[in-house]
Every structure is written in C-alpha cells, then in structure tokens.
C-alpha cells in the first residue's frame, strides 16, 4: 500500500474518478446511516457537506450509498487499478476494508496519515485485486476515519489510472403529465447540479411534456418538448428519438420528480464510460418513500409476473447491504429488467423502441427485447411511493395483464407455451375473485380480449383514450367515494392465521362455494398500505378499503356477480387457449413494427408540423 500526496492540478491528469461520496439531502433522503456512520465526537454539516471530527471521533463509510462494489467494476469494466483519494484536514487513522463472499473480510489499509486540504491524499489499493477468482471478484470496499486530533473530511473519491473506453454523451429524458411543480423542481435541481459537475458538458436534459402544461423554459442545458399524451411509452419513445437526433450516445429515462441523488448520474456516466460491453445499461434501485431505508427492488426479473430483487433489504444494515451487492455482482440473466424511474442505456443498442403499452410493462418489454447488459450500482436509487398495490385499479390491472401476456407472446426467449402463458391470466382472475373484485375481473377479461386483437390494436390505440373511457364506465363498486359516516367495525368469525381456515377458504374459492357466506363471513377493514394483502382476505365476505384521505369503497361477496364475471373470463380464456399458436406467430411477427422508429415517427409527425 502506497500513500501519495498529490497536487490538485496533477490529480486530474493522473486519475479518473469512478465514484465520489453521496451525502444526505433534504427532501430526498436524510437517513444519515445510508451515507455515513458517525461515532463519538463527530458531526456532519449539511450546508458545507463535510464531516468534522474531534479526537476519538470517527466516520465510517461502510454504508449502502458509499461503499464501492469492486466486483462489479472488475466483472463489467475489467478494472485492474484502483485508489482512494481523500480531501480534508488533520491527523487521522484511515482503514480500508474489503468484504468478500464466504471469506473473512480483509483489512487492506490501516495507516495514520495527515490530511491537507490543499494536497489531496491518494491511497493505492493494488492489494484489493489479490482476492481469489470468483463470480464476485474483489467484493465490496469501504473506508473509515478516526481522528487523532481535530480533523475534517470534505471529499473522497474512488479513482483509477485506467482511461475510459468512451465518453458518453447522455440525453436525460423526463416524461411528465400535469405534474408541473414536481418537474419544475427536478429541472432546477439538474441546473444546480450542472454548475459544479465535471461531466456537465456531456449531459443535456429533455422534458417531454405529455400534458403540454409544464411551462419549462428552454436553456443551454434543457429542452422542453410538447407531446401528445401517449403515456409513458409515448413520452419516452419521443425522448429516445429526440436523443438520437441530438447525437447523444446514451439516453437516461427518469421520473418527472427526479427523486435521485444527482451524483448518481456521475456514477452511472463513469460506469458506462469504462464498461467493456457497449450494450451495458445502468438501472436504479427503487426505495420506498415511506421508509427510505428499505429497498423495494434492486432491479427485477420477469417470469409470468414481475419479481422484484432484494425487496425488503434494510439499507442501514451493512450485512444485508453486502449480501445484496455481492449477489448482484455477476452478470444479470436475460429476463432481468430495469424500471424507467432511472434507466441509462446506449442508443445504438436499442434496436426496439418502446412498445405502445401507454404505461405499465413498457420498461419490462424494452429491457427484455433489447438484451442490454443491465447493472445496478450502490447509491444509484430513486425513491417513490413504491407500494404499487396502493395504486391498483381497473385500469392498472388491465394494463398489467395485457403487457404480461404480450411479453410472453412476442419475445421468443420468454415463450412459456400455451399452458404456461395461460397461468398468468388465471392468477390475475383468482386473485381478484378471492377478494370479491368482480369489476376487476371484467377488466382482466377485456385485457385478454385485446391481447387477441394483436399488436396492430395497440398501434391504433396508443393514446388509450377509448379503453380509459370504457374502464372508467365499468368502475362502480371499486370506485373511491367520500366516506359516508363512521368506518364500519371489523367482524372476525374466521381466523385467517389458522391453517385449517385458509385451506377451507382455498377449497371453496374464499367462500364462493359455501352457502350464505355473505351473511356470516368476516368484515375486513384495510387502511392505506394494506390493500393487496391476500392472506388477510381469507374468510372475508366484505372488505372496506380506506385511502387515508376520507375516501373508501366496499367489496361485497356476491355469487351471481362472481358467476357472471367468471363466465365471461372463462370464455375469453378458452378462446385464447385455442388461438394460442396463431397469436404467438402474430405477436412475434408484429412486435417489431409496433416498437419501431417508423411507427413512433408517424405518431409524432403532427407535433413536428405544428
């Protein structure tokens, strides 16, 4: 291990920054233990973005957002040289640790050094590459400081002398629809970020305004684009085509609230610059805005349904974080996908453009069709209200099911055969039936019928106006209404936690085969965040759903309604099964036309002429 003092002007020419520190940010995440752990006489200044230490105080960066996943840089970028650059003041003990899979962790560095704010300190980490050859290579690294006198730390960078393989020109594309305040804040954060970011010359922001109401001002770094409301798929397709026209090498799809640490863009840029595979893409993890220390998904797999990866990981717990990072180091499987809250990809590898799903499933399809090498990185995360069951309604269920089936019909590598594909609508049907969501079953049936109309139907109805109206008219019992009077009291006659009760309910389709069940079954009251918990619904003949804002709706057991809904679904499912071979041929033949540049150019042409 070598410790070198480097002149500031020399540091830029000798090394390339791979990853800098992330710090807590008001309005985004102030969960400090995700960024830095302080102990003893130690403090953090949010305004100055620095750690202050008195003798004995310590700062540890063994945290979810600031550890360095060396294994990913080795596997995907062929990294062979690494250092740590510290900027601060005072005499400190510095320790660099290496967490390896199924082995004792290594103490790579344990030295006493003096930090000088005018002369950054570089620590060579050649020893990190001595780890045995495994799928996770050098594991994850993190460092910590202990003050031996008054000390401070203002910056830390993981650096390399390896030159980047490319200099990505990234067009960031935000799609927004009538969220004027949120997108305005996102643009302001981006403009502030560019004032100090070293990669500012390589970035440009496009705001695709599907509602044509955002009033974003054009600038040297920002281009507003008025667009027809074709949903997220149409908005991001417009952004992709505009990025190509601008001469960008990469595009970064982002949510309109841009609820990410802006420095995550720098981390993504550096990884794309050094990646061996030009098809490499970076996907952000998703945090729950309700609990910003909880991972909702660190990427996801698709196989009949969406399967979030590492859901529930407590990002405050180093052991859990390390397991997640090590598990996500090897190259991801072919059915891995990234959400469009943050997805950076190479434009020349996007053979297929977004499919016109309107919303729901467009990001899954885009990832699977284009075979990107998708990577997740520490600290590259977005936070939002991630409990999708809370957003569930007839429209979202309709959109979810038709996209789920389309993936398996259209993409050869996702083919699960007739029976395997039919399991998906059956799962959606049973979930709705068991919760007495008979109107939802109608939406499921409609989705199945529309799938049988083929890709051309999606091209003709890219704006979803007709279907949105149809589904809106179907919603009566499952529509939110102002709460009329006090909340009904729960009634519990059957205990869903008892195995015998659950088995009885499963065998009788949650009471649909039991006489007079609506009179003696449970009454269940579900608050915000509790919808979609099927286990609690066993034995429920009536379910009162509350939204936390004074609105509610009630689901009631009804055998006639279940019979009518089930009959319609069964007929559609039978037709789907009989037509399956032809449907698969039609979808595989027609998918490319619907996910093509030519299709989207034809949709956007009136906008250009106007």
């Amino acid at each position: 291990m070598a410790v070198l003092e480097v002149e500031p002007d020399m540091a830029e020419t000798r090394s390339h920054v791979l990853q800098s520190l992330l710090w807590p940010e008001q309005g985004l995440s102030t969960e400090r233990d995700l960024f830095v752990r302080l102990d003893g006489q130690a403090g953090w200044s949010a305004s100055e973005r620095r750690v202050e230490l008195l003798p004995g105080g310590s700062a540890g960066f063994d945290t979810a957002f600031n550890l360095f996943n060396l294994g990913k840089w080795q596997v995907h970028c062929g990294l062979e040289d690494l250092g740590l650059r510290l900027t601060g003041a005072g005499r400190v003990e510095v320790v660099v640790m290496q967490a390896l899979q199924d082995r004792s962790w290594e103490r790579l560095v344990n030295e006493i050094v003096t930090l000088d704010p005018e002369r950054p300190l570089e620590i060579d980490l050649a020893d990190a590459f001595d780890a045995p050859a495994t799928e996770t290579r050098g594991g994850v690294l993190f460092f910590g400081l202990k003050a031996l006198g008054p000390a401070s730390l203002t910056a830390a960078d993981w650096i390399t002398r390896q030159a980047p393989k490319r200099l990505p020109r990234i067009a960031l594309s935000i799609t927004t629809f009538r969220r004027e305040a949120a997108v305005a804040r996102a643009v302001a954060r981006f403009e502030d970020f560019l004032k100090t970011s070293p990669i500012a010359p390589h970035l440009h922001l496009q705001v695709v305004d599907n509602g044509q109401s955002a009033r974003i001002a054009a600038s040297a770094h920002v281009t507003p684009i008025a667009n027809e409301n074709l949903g997220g798929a149409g908005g991001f397709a417009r952004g992709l085509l505009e990025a190509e026209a601008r001469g960008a090498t990469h595009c970064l799809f982002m949510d309109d609230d841009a609820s990410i640490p802006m420095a995550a863009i720098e981390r993504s840029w550096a990884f794309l610059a050094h990646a061996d595979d030009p098809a490499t893409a970076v996907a952000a993890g998703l945090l729950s805005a309700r609990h910003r220390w909880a991972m909702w998904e660190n990427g996801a797999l698709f196989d009949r349904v969406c399967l979030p990866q590492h859901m529930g990981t407590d990002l405050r717990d180093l052991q859990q974080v390390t397991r997640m990072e090590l598990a996500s180091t090897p190259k991801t499987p072919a059915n891995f996908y990234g959400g469009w809250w943050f997805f950076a990809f190479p434009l020349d590898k996007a053979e297929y453009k977004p499919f016109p799903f309107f919303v729901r499933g467009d990001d899954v399809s885009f990832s699977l069709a284009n075979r990107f090498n998708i990577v997740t990185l520490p600290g590259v995360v977005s936070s939002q209200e991630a409990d999708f069951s809370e957003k569930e309604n007839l429209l979202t269920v309709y959109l979810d099911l038709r996209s789920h089936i389309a993936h398996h019909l259209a993409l050869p590598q996702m083919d699960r055969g007739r029976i395997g594909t039919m399991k998906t609508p059956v799962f959606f049907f049973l979930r709705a039936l068991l919760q007495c969501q008979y109107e939802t079953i109608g939406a499921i049936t409609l989705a199945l019928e529309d799938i049988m109309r083929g890709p051309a139907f999606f091209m003709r109805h890219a704006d979803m106006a007709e279907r949105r109206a149809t589904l809106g008219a179907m919603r009566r019992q499952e529509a939110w209404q102002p709460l009329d009077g006090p909340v009904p009291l729960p009634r519990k006659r059957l205990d869903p936690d008892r195995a015998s009760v659950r088995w009885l309910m499963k065998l009788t389709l949650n009471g649909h085969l039991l006489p007079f069940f609506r009179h003696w079954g449970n009454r269940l009251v579900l608050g915000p965040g509790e919808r979609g918990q099927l286990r609690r619904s066993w034995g429920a003949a009536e379910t009162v759903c509350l939204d936390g804002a004074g609105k509610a709706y009630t689901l009631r057991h009804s055998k006639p309604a279940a019979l009518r809904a089930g009959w319609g679904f069964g007929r559609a499912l039978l037709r789907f099964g009989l037509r399956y071979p032809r449907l698969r041929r039609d979808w595989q033949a027609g998918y490319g036309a619907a996910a093509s540049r030519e299709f989207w150019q034809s949709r956007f042409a009136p906008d250009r002429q106007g």
Side-chain angles (χ1 to χ4, degrees):
M1 187 278 294
V3 178
L4 305 173
E5 291 181 342
V6 181
E7 296 292 345
D9 58 342
M10 291 176 58
E12 295 301 318
T13 59
R14 287 176 58 89
S15 58
H16 304 274
V17 175
L18 303 179
Q19 180 176 303
S20 299
L21 290 180
L22 292 180
W23 297 109
E25 184 176 341
Q26 197 71 37
L28 187 65
S29 177
T30 56
E31 293 274 356
R32 197 174 68 186
D33 283 353
L34 305 186
F35 301 86
V36 58
R37 303 183 201 275
L38 302 179
D39 189 49
Q41 298 191 77
W44 149 250
S45 170
S47 60
E48 298 181 9
R49 292 200 162 201
R50 69 174 182 178
V51 171
E52 291 280 352
L53 305 171
L54 292 178
S58 65
F61 294 89
D62 52 342
T63 59
F65 292 172
N66 281 320
L67 57 78
F68 182 80
N69 192 322
L70 173 59
K72 288 182 179 177
W73 283 89
Q74 290 177 290
V75 169
H76 299 278
C77 304
L79 191 69
E80 296 177 342
D81 176 84
L82 182 66
L84 175 63
R85 186 168 65 205
L86 304 175
T87 304
R91 195 160 177 79
V92 297
E93 178 190 37
V94 57
V95 174
V96 180
M97 296 292 297
Q98 182 176 30
L100 300 168
Q101 187 167 23
D102 301 325
R103 299 179 66 89
S104 295
W105 293 5
E106 296 290 338
R107 189 178 296 264
L108 296 176
V109 176
N110 200 141
E111 293 290 339
I112 295 173
V113 299
T114 299
L115 301 180
D116 182 340
E118 303 300 322
R119 300 169 65 86
L121 191 77
E122 286 192 6
I123 301 173
D124 182 78
L125 295 173
D127 291 348
F129 296 90
D130 293 339
T134 66
E135 281 191 321
T136 60
R137 306 287 180 89
V140 298
L141 308 182
F142 52 85
F143 74 98
L145 304 176
K146 182 177 181 179
L148 304 181
S152 64
L153 180 75
T154 55
D157 306 298
W158 300 92
I159 57 176
T160 186
R161 287 168 293 196
Q162 286 181 227
K165 300 175 179 68
R166 62 191 64 82
L167 297 177
R169 299 185 303 278
I170 300 182
L172 298 85
S173 189
I174 288 175
T175 296
T176 188
F177 180 75
R178 296 179 183 171
R179 296 188 67 201
E180 296 84 359
V183 75
R185 287 193 298 270
V187 172
R189 288 183 66 224
F190 177 74
E191 293 269 27
D192 287 343
F193 161 71
L194 289 189
K195 293 175 184 176
T196 57
S197 175
I199 65 167
H202 305 287
L203 305 177
H204 190 87
L205 176 62
Q206 304 169 167
V207 179
V208 181
D209 183 8
N210 281 356
Q212 302 186 31
S213 60
R215 300 182 185 277
I216 298 297
S219 72
H221 307 294
V222 179
T223 299
I225 302 167
N227 198 47
E228 179 187 359
N229 182 23
L230 300 173
F236 285 119
R238 181 67 181 272
L240 189 158
L241 267 58
E242 296 287 347
E244 290 179 333
R246 179 173 293 279
T249 62
H250 292 71
C251 191
L252 169 53
F253 290 163
M254 295 173 61
D255 270 349
D256 54 8
D257 59 3
S259 53
I260 59 161
M262 282 292 162
I265 299 171
E266 293 178 344
R267 292 189 180 186
S268 302
W269 186 93
F271 200 87
L272 295 171
H274 287 268
D276 290 330
D277 184 354
T280 296
V282 175
L286 182 64
L287 308 182
S288 166
R290 187 172 298 167
H291 302 296
R292 290 190 173 97
W293 46 265
M295 181 65 75
W296 184 266
E297 70 174 56
N298 196 32
L301 301 177
F302 181 81
D303 189 358
R304 300 187 181 92
V305 294
C306 299
L307 304 168
Q309 299 297 284
H310 309 288
M311 177 184 280
T313 297
D314 186 337
L315 299 179
R316 301 166 299 184
D317 185 321
L318 178 60
Q319 298 292 334
Q320 292 188 43
V321 170
T322 301
R323 284 196 295 271
M324 178 182 72
E325 285 297 325
L326 291 173
S328 62
T329 292
K331 291 192 175 183
T332 51
N335 62 332
F336 189 91
Y337 71 90
W340 282 356
W341 42 82
F342 184 108
F343 188 75
F345 61 93
L347 284 164
D348 64 351
K349 301 301 178 184
E351 176 185 356
Y352 295 97
K353 311 313 176 193
F355 187 88
F357 283 122
F358 193 75
V359 294
R360 299 274 183 151
D362 40 11
D363 48 6
V364 182
S365 176
F366 188 69
S367 292
L368 300 181
N370 285 302
R371 305 291 188 92
F372 298 118
N373 173 36
I374 304 174
V375 182
T376 59
L377 297 173
V380 179
V381 294
S382 176
S383 62
Q384 58 179 261
E385 293 297 338
D387 189 348
F388 297 111
S389 66
E390 279 302 292
K391 304 174 184 178
E392 188 172 286
N393 54 44
L394 269 65
L395 177 61
T396 62
V397 172
Y398 164 86
L399 293 167
D400 275 341
L401 178 58
R402 68 178 200 162
S403 68
H404 281 29
I405 301 175
H407 303 328
H408 287 305
L409 288 174
L411 305 175
Q413 75 273 23
M414 298 305 299
D415 183 14
R416 296 295 181 267
R418 189 196 316 259
I419 300 302
T421 304
M422 291 173 68
K423 288 180 180 178
T424 298
V426 169
F427 168 78
F428 273 66
F429 166 77
L430 289 175
R431 186 182 62 175
L433 177 67
L434 298 177
Q435 297 179 90
C436 304
Q437 295 175 306
Y438 309 120
E439 292 169 359
T440 293
I441 294 175
I444 291 167
T445 303
L446 183 60
L448 203 53
E449 292 171 344
D450 285 348
I451 278 289
M452 289 187 278
R453 294 181 169 95
F457 174 84
F458 289 72
M459 298 168 72
R460 292 194 303 271
H461 295 271
D463 63 0
M464 275 285 295
E466 180 182 319
R467 279 294 175 259
R468 282 183 284 161
T470 299
L471 291 161
M474 290 170 58
R475 189 169 59 238
R476 293 183 176 86
Q477 186 182 31
E478 298 178 39
W480 293 106
Q481 302 290 343
L483 190 62
D484 184 16
V487 177
L489 294 176
R491 181 181 67 208
K492 188 175 181 180
R493 292 170 174 165
L494 298 166
D495 185 357
D497 291 327
R498 293 181 58 185
S500 59
V501 169
R502 292 198 302 275
W503 275 110
L504 174 63
M505 292 299 104
K506 290 176 183 179
L507 292 172
T508 62
L509 298 178
N510 208 17
H512 282 92
L513 302 181
L514 293 175
F516 309 111
F517 182 72
R518 66 188 180 93
H519 297 293
W520 54 270
N522 293 344
R523 179 188 294 125
L524 183 62
V525 178
L526 297 177
E530 296 178 331
R531 286 198 301 152
Q533 298 179 11
L534 183 58
R535 183 184 179 111
R536 296 187 60 186
S537 296
W538 293 119
E542 181 179 312
T543 301
V544 180
C545 300
L546 307 173
D547 73 346
K551 292 186 177 181
Y553 67 78
T554 301
L555 303 170
R556 293 184 175 89
H557 176 97
S558 169
K559 288 180 175 61
L563 184 60
R564 287 192 298 271
W567 175 252
F569 172 78
R571 292 175 61 194
L573 184 68
L574 178 61
R575 291 198 304 274
F576 178 86
L578 293 173
R579 298 178 188 178
Y580 177 81
R582 180 169 60 84
L583 286 171
R584 185 180 59 184
R585 289 194 300 270
D586 291 348
W587 270 92
Q588 292 186 6
Y591 180 88
S596 69
R597 177 183 290 104
E598 292 73 23
F599 165 70
W600 287 114
Q601 285 175 333
S602 70
R603 288 300 313 225
F604 301 142
D607 288 31
R608 290 199 185 94
Q609 293 168 1

